[in-house]
Amino acid sequence: MPSPLHKINYAYSEYLALEASSNVKHEFLAGQIYAMAGGTPEHAALAAAVIGLLFPQLRGRACRSYDSDLRVRTPSGLATYPDVTVICGPSERKDTDPQAVTNPTLIIEVLSRSTEEYDAGDKFEHYKTLPSLRQYVLVSHRERAVEVWTRGEADEWRSATVREGEIAELAIKARLDVRELYASAAGPSA
């Protein structure tokens, strides 16, 4: 996680006021506000490709995909903006923050050099506190592969790495073809 904006303990209401007036996104955790780094064009293309592949599979169903403009709030207190969030059924929100959802079914993060350790470590620990979360997917920036973490019946998490030429079966009854994902992100010049 990056360094906090200031070494002060902020109330969540102060964080919300900052978010409402800022053109930069921030994370909130334990009274600290963290500016989120901007992504590279490759990062943005991978996130867009994920949504592009999921969108037709979810059309007409109870699940809906969202981009990184959707704030997610965990029971552990993290407020953040995942690269891709899927919610099945109506979204749930708290009165204290009607712009943040609390019931994602699937969260997907596109990794980068600066966020890889945090996304796979501490951030995942916070996501695990979301009772609705069935899967967490990490899209690699180093190789053509995705790591799919799935919550089991006994609340244990198991991991599977899905590589080029393979298809990730998602808990939302959708599929993520790794070859197609990276080809879509590469664009027409690839």
Side-chain angles (χ1 to χ4, degrees):
M1 178 173 267
S3 298
L5 197 57
H6 297 79
K7 298 282 185 185
I8 303 173
N9 278 326
Y10 292 94
Y12 195 70
S13 59
E14 292 173 301
Y15 163 73
L16 293 178
L18 174 66
E19 286 301 271
S21 65
S22 178
N23 60 357
V24 175
K25 294 177 192 165
H26 300 86
E27 285 190 343
F28 177 87
L29 180 63
Q32 298 301 308
I33 298 174
Y34 303 88
M36 295 183 72
T40 65
E42 294 79 15
H43 183 279
L46 276 169
V50 169
I51 291 173
L53 293 173
L54 292 179
F55 186 79
Q57 296 179 70
L58 299 179
R59 186 177 294 133
R61 299 201 13 232
C63 297
R64 184 174 181 188
S65 60
Y66 297 85
D67 67 12
S68 62
D69 285 336
L70 181 68
R71 186 166 53 239
V72 171
R73 182 92 194 264
T74 69
S76 61
L78 176 67
T80 190
Y81 298 85
D83 291 318
V84 179
T85 303
V86 176
I87 298 172
C88 295
S91 64
E92 295 175 8
R93 306 162 194 222
K94 300 256 188 225
D95 290 342
T96 55
D97 185 1
Q99 299 303 314
V101 299
T102 59
N103 67 322
T105 305
L106 170 70
I107 292 177
I108 300 174
E109 294 283 10
V110 177
L111 301 176
S112 65
R113 281 185 188 91
S114 63
T115 66
E116 184 171 12
E117 187 176 315
Y118 173 57
D119 287 346
D122 290 345
K123 193 179 222 180
F124 185 27
E125 291 303 314
H126 288 285
Y127 286 157
K128 287 177 182 178
T129 68
L130 292 157
S132 61
L133 191 65
R134 304 275 54 91
Q135 278 183 323
Y136 181 49
V137 177
L138 300 169
V139 177
S140 178
H141 66 98
R142 297 177 189 276
E143 62 177 319
R144 291 179 172 228
V146 299
E147 186 176 10
V148 180
W149 286 91
T150 303
R151 178 178 276 171
E153 294 296 321
D155 208 32
E156 82 285 355
W157 288 87
R158 61 187 188 290
S159 169
T161 301
V162 183
R163 301 185 186 287
E164 175 90 23
E166 299 175 334
I167 296 174
E169 299 289 339
L170 303 177
I172 57 171
K173 294 186 172 74
R175 303 171 75 176
L176 199 55
D177 182 317
V178 175
R179 179 175 288 128
E180 192 175 353
L181 169 64
Y182 286 91
S184 296
S189 62

